[in-house]
Structures are given as C-alpha cells and as structure tokens.
Amino acid sequence: MTVRPRGLIKGDTVGIIAPASPPNQEQLQSAMAFFEELGLKVKFGKYVHEINGYLAGKDHERVDDLHSMFTDTDVKAIFCACGGYGTPRIASYINYELIRMNPKIFWGYSDITFLHNSIHQETGLVTFHGPMPASDIGKPDCHQDSKDRFQQLFSSHPFRYDEKIAPIEVLVEGEAEGDIVGGNLTLLVSSLGTKFEMDTKNKILLIEDVNEEPRQVDRYLNQLYMAGKLSDAAAILFGDFANCVPERELSLTLDEVLDQYAKLAGKPTLKGLRIGHCNPHYSIPLGVRAIVDTNQKTVIIESGIQS
C-alpha cells in the first residue's frame, strides 16, 4: 500500500538529521536561509553535529535522531543533511512501525538510497530523492532549478520530465508504467542478499552514481543483472553519473557499459536524466506511479504528497 505524506504549508517546522556522514557545518548553516525563504522553521537533530570517523555519530545516535524526528509532532518533514557513508549500518535498527504510524516527508539521496528503499518496502511510505542542505543547497553555486523542485512539497502536481530540461537519449525503445524506485547504484547493490533487498518487479528503476570508474559501474550493473533486478523492471532510467570516467588507458566508456546492460535487460530505457550528483538536480518522489515513453522522451511522475 502506497502512503503519501502530508504536504507542507508555510510556518511548518522541518527537521534535519545526519544518518550518514558528518555534514559540512558551514554549508549546513548556509542552507538555513533557503528554508527561511520557503517559510519553514528548522529543528536540528540532537546528534547532527557529531563526528565518528566517516560517520555522523554512533549508530544508535543516528537512529535516535531519525526516530525522534518521526515521533515529534511539531516536525512535518525530515531532511537528511548529506550523504556519504553509513545508512545501511542503521537500517536493521530502525523501528519501521514507528515510521508507519507517523508518516511524513523524508528527503535525501546518495547514501540515503538505502533508507529510501528500506522505509518504502517496510511501510509503503513515499519518500523523496533530492538535493540536501549541506551537500547541495548550502553551496553558493546551487542551481535555482534544484531549489524550485522543493515546491513539490507544497502542492500536489505531477512532474513531467522531458527534453525541455536536458537532452535525453533512448537506449531501448518502448513504453512502461509502474512505481518508481531506485537511486544510487552502489547502495542498490548493497541491498542484495539482505532483508531489504530491492524489489524491482514491474517497477521503473532509477539508477545514478558518482566517482565510480566504468569498470566499477560494470561490476555493479552486472550484479543487478545476474540478480534479475534489471530484467524484472518495467523500465530503466539512467540518471547522472558524475565523474564516472576511466582512470586507466584501457577501459570501456561509461556509455558503452550503460548501453550493454540496457540491451541485456531489454526494457524501455532512457539515459541522461539530471537526477543524482549533478547541478541542477531535479528531485522526484520515490514509490509513486510513473509513465515512461521513449517515443516522446518523457517521464511523467505522480505527486508524492497527499492531494
């Protein structure tokens, strides 16, 4: 069952937590002006400033912040400060019944992919794949289009992604409809063999990544393919693959790798969507219905909030 969270209104309080790596504190503070422009108040998690190596605090501290934000009746949405590393470590400790009983907007991407997947599969909650306060919004060069997509949290309108945004390449022709799932390729692969293994059956599968050589993208896509995740999907969307370039002379190109697995899967596939580690980054809801049409080069995605 798909559960859409309530949308935001001006004056609402939103929470910011760090379930992965420690956020850049200067950029996190810079993002506060953006939330003020949206008419929102901000409440920080208790441990959002903690540092434990490449983690933002101990596992139980990061889980506690997540639980606290979902149970806090004043908080209407939860934004992850940044990605990095560590969200798979806490997935098994999360009280998903608590989230089910307190559905609200949950927003992030990159390492947060693991939580998008686990939360949706355990509760049915629609979550949002989008740029984060410390890693994106707080940077001085953050594109206005990235900021404008936050308006989807205030009004329930479908999103039409087409070539008015950026060029789109068709790798496999066709039309498909299904719930949209996915996110960061590395994190999707890390779910395999766990209780949170990604379900792609009849789904629209979004895949993006950053700083991975083509050989590594090849390895991950091959694992998804051998696990049946590409063939199970109704369609595949390749988002942005920032800095995924070879560091060695002998290498396949990223385009060659993506094309090969699209052809192996044989499902309608579009490439080049500005979703992922890019600027602008067009945020979308995950867990809602989407329609892919390669003839029109369009992806139409339902609203992620209650109408």
Side-chain angles (χ1 to χ4, degrees), residues 18-23 48 50 54-56 62 81-87 111:
S21 291
V48 75
E50 293 297 311
Y54 48 76
L55 303 171
R62 290 179 289 127
C82 64
Y85 308 94
T87 59
D111 199 66

Side-chain angles (χ1 to χ4, degrees), residues 81-238:
C82 64
Y85 308 94
T87 59
R89 290 174 54 128
I90 67 173
S92 295
Y93 304 116
I94 293 173
N95 183 340
Y96 293 97
E97 184 59 27
L98 181 152
I99 295 175
R100 191 195 315 275
M101 298 299 294
N102 300 276
K104 57 185 67 175
I105 293 163
F106 181 78
W107 181 292
Y109 76 108
S110 193
D111 199 66
I112 310 304
T113 292
F114 204 97
L115 297 187
H116 285 313
N117 186 60
S118 66
I119 289 173
H120 181 67
Q121 291 191 173
E122 294 294 315
T123 71
L125 181 64
V126 171
T127 60
F128 294 82
H129 183 285
M132 298 174 286
S135 55
D136 304 278
I137 301 301
K139 292 182 177 179
D141 65 345
C142 182
H143 200 284
Q144 187 60 44
D145 285 358
S146 298
K147 297 178 178 179
D148 288 346
R149 283 295 296 150
F150 280 75
Q151 292 302 318
Q152 68 183 290
L153 302 180
F154 293 86
S155 58
S156 57
H157 298 293
F159 177 46
R160 178 186 175 93
Y161 192 109
D162 57 27
E163 288 198 297
K164 292 180 180 178
I165 293 175
I168 297 173
E169 184 177 347
V170 177
L171 297 187
V172 179
E173 296 183 351
E175 299 178 18
E177 180 175 353
D179 293 349
I180 189 164
V181 299
N184 184 265
L185 174 59
T186 306
L187 276 297
L188 297 178
V189 169
S190 72
S191 77
L192 299 181
T194 74
K195 66 175 292 187
F196 305 111
E197 180 168 321
M198 175 182 58
D199 176 18
T200 65
K201 190 70 173 179
N202 300 322
K203 307 290 179 65
I204 308 298
L205 176 58
L206 167 70
I207 303 175
E208 63 85 30
D209 218 318
V210 62
N211 296 332
E212 301 285 358
E213 288 190 61
R215 64 184 177 85
Q216 294 166 310
V217 174
D218 189 328
R219 178 187 298 136
Y220 296 144
L221 287 176
N222 184 56
Q223 190 168 353
L224 287 185
Y225 176 69
M226 291 193 298
K229 301 304 178 181
L230 301 184
S231 300
D232 278 352
I236 298 171
L237 304 175
F238 285 125

Side-chain angles (χ1 to χ4, degrees), residues 169-175 235-236 258-271 292-295:
E169 184 177 347
V170 177
L171 297 187
V172 179
E173 296 183 351
E175 299 178 18
I236 298 171
L258 299 184
D259 183 71
Q260 177 179 357
Y261 286 99
K263 297 297 194 299
L264 283 173
K267 301 300 174 71
T269 304
L270 296 176
K271 182 180 76 172
V292 176
D293 186 337
T294 65
N295 292 320

Side-chain angles (χ1 to χ4, degrees), residues 224-286:
L224 287 185
Y225 176 69
M226 291 193 298
K229 301 304 178 181
L230 301 184
S231 300
D232 278 352
I236 298 171
L237 304 175
F238 285 125
D240 195 76
F241 281 77
N243 196 35
C244 289
V245 296
E247 297 179 359
R248 59 199 63 222
E249 182 177 353
L250 296 177
S251 176
L252 295 173
T253 66
L254 176 66
D255 287 338
E256 288 173 325
V257 172
L258 299 184
D259 183 71
Q260 177 179 357
Y261 286 99
K263 297 297 194 299
L264 283 173
K267 301 300 174 71
T269 304
L270 296 176
K271 182 180 76 172
L273 279 69
R274 301 287 288 168
I275 301 174
H277 295 74
C278 49
N279 188 27
H281 173 179
Y282 292 85
S283 52
I284 63 168
L286 297 173

